[in-house]
Each structure stands twice: as C-alpha cells, then as structure tokens.
Amino acid sequence: MKVLVPVKRVVDYNVKVRVKSDGTGVDIANVKMSMNPFDEIAVEEAVRLKEKGVATEVIAVSCGVAQCQETLRTAMAIGADRSILVECADELQPLAVAKLLKAIVDKEQPALVILGKQSIDDDCNQTGQMLAALAGLPQATFASKLEVVEGKAQVTREVDGGLETVSLTLPAVVTTDLRLNEPRYVTLPNIMKAKKKPLDVFKSSDLGVDVTPRIKTLKVSEPPKRGAGVKVPDVAALVDKLKNEAKVV
C-alpha cells in the first residue's frame, strides 16, 4: 500500500511573526522555516503504518519554492522513502495546492493520503477537503486515531460532542489532528540517510495545473495590542465594568 503525505514549509512555530511595514504580508526574510507541525504528525503516522507492515511506501510531496526541498528532506529523515517537489514561485492558495496534489494522486495512485488538518500560517483548513472533492475520494478530517484493516481505514475523529468513528473504503484522504501521535525526534544518521533518498522535482506547468490565485489579499496587519488588566474589589464592580465599559453583558 502506497501512502502519500503532503507537507508544507511554514514559519517555525517558535518564531514571533512580523508583518511587513507596507502591510503586504508577513516578513519571512532571515526567518527560520520548518515543516508545518500538523504535517509532521501526518508523516509520523504514515511511517508508523509502514513499520506495522500496513504500508509499503511513504511518499512526501510539497508545493512551493525550491527551499521546500529542506522540508522534504526532513520528512525523509523521519522515514519517508522518497519525495516529490512541485516547484512554483507564485503564491499558492489552498485550491491551487489541492489541484497540484490531485495531479500527483493521479500519477502515483496512493491508497491513502494523509495530511495535516491545517497549516499554522494561514489556518485555512481547506486543502484536504478540496483534494478529496477533486479526486472523488472519501475523507475523514481531524483524525485522532487511525487504523487500516482489510482495505478500510477506521478513523476516530474529534467532533463537538466527543469522538466519532468512521470507516472509509480505500483509497481515501485523512487529515490529522494534534492528538493522533507525537512525532519522533529526527536523529543525525537518519538526516544523513535522507540526503541519499530520491527527490523528484516538477514544475506546476508540467502537471497542467493553473495555480493563478483566486483571492486577493488587500492588507495584512497585526492584531491590536491588548490593554493591561485591572483588579476589581468585588463582583458588583466586575459586573459594572463588564456592562458599562466592556459592554459584553
């Protein structure tokens, strides 16, 4: 069974994000970049399926600039067998990424696509759902547990009322939540081995996909700074401030 794992290169979650002075976007010059944490969980889950003997091959794929190769090498250091980079210098929105991934799915024919539920830069939570719709595949989102048995994926997912378990006929698309697993620490020997694993590079034009942005960002700005908190002597004073100052009651 072949497993495809899309991964995204994002600003590292430990970095304080800065907005450009002209308001056109986020400043990523000289900023540490890393793999999207939810995608890291997806890679870990795919590798665990391979270690259990369920999967035979794990393929990591990324769409974006040439530096995404570093992210793919990290995925291969975790345990992916090979990787694919769809190189594109333009801004990639979720629909464009889903179309590129659909082209890769058609080419590789994986039995399972596992990807993070969202990326920590735009928080869109759209790519997995769009990919499933475009490819005509069953999907399970926000997976906190995944088991593959006899050609079916049993996915436990988190919903408002608690947990829901769904059964998907493979091939299928699964998006991962935080509680699915804890990614392993990448060791130096595995990093060295990853350098020798195959990495194929395609252009978006090679796949015949139009990646023109459908949405235009007018302005990016930082959220307003919060004022300092105040202590109140009693409940009556608290209610008064909530009613007359905050105007929330």
Side-chain angles (χ1 to χ4, degrees), residues 50-202:
K50 184 184 176 186
E51 291 172 345
K52 291 177 183 175
V54 176
T56 54
E57 186 181 27
V58 177
I59 308 164
V61 58
S62 188
C63 305
V65 295
Q67 290 88 335
C68 289
Q69 292 189 30
E70 301 169 10
T71 308
L72 291 171
R73 293 293 179 194
T74 301
M76 291 190 287
I78 294 173
D81 298 293
R82 60 186 175 94
S83 56
I84 299 170
L85 171 62
V86 182
E87 196 171 326
C88 181
D90 300 327
E91 175 196 0
L92 290 176
Q93 295 176 351
L95 180 58
V97 175
K99 288 180 178 179
L100 292 171
L101 292 177
K102 198 263 183 183
I104 298 295
V105 167
D106 291 341
K107 182 176 182 296
E108 294 290 341
Q109 295 293 310
L112 188 62
V113 181
I114 309 177
L115 66 161
K117 68 172 184 177
Q118 66 194 75
S119 59
I120 62 171
D121 51 4
D122 56 24
D123 274 339
C124 281
N125 182 19
Q126 295 174 347
T127 305
Q129 292 89 327
M130 287 177 171
L131 171 61
L134 290 171
L137 298 176
Q139 62 174 306
T141 55
F142 316 131
S144 59
K145 185 178 180 182
L146 171 63
E147 293 181 344
V148 179
V149 182
E150 297 178 354
K152 289 186 178 292
Q154 304 288 338
V155 180
T156 301
R157 58 191 301 270
E158 299 185 358
V159 294
D160 291 340
L163 298 176
E164 175 185 61
T165 301
V166 295
S167 179
L168 307 177
T169 301
L170 300 180
V173 176
V174 175
T175 70
T176 65
D177 211 338
L178 278 175
R179 281 161 285 282
L180 180 59
N181 62 52
E182 186 175 339
R184 69 194 66 190
Y185 177 76
V186 180
T187 61
L188 182 59
N190 286 337
I191 293 174
M192 301 307 293
K193 290 177 184 176
K195 293 181 179 180
K196 298 180 180 178
K197 292 182 179 180
L199 193 160
D200 298 323
V201 180
F202 298 97

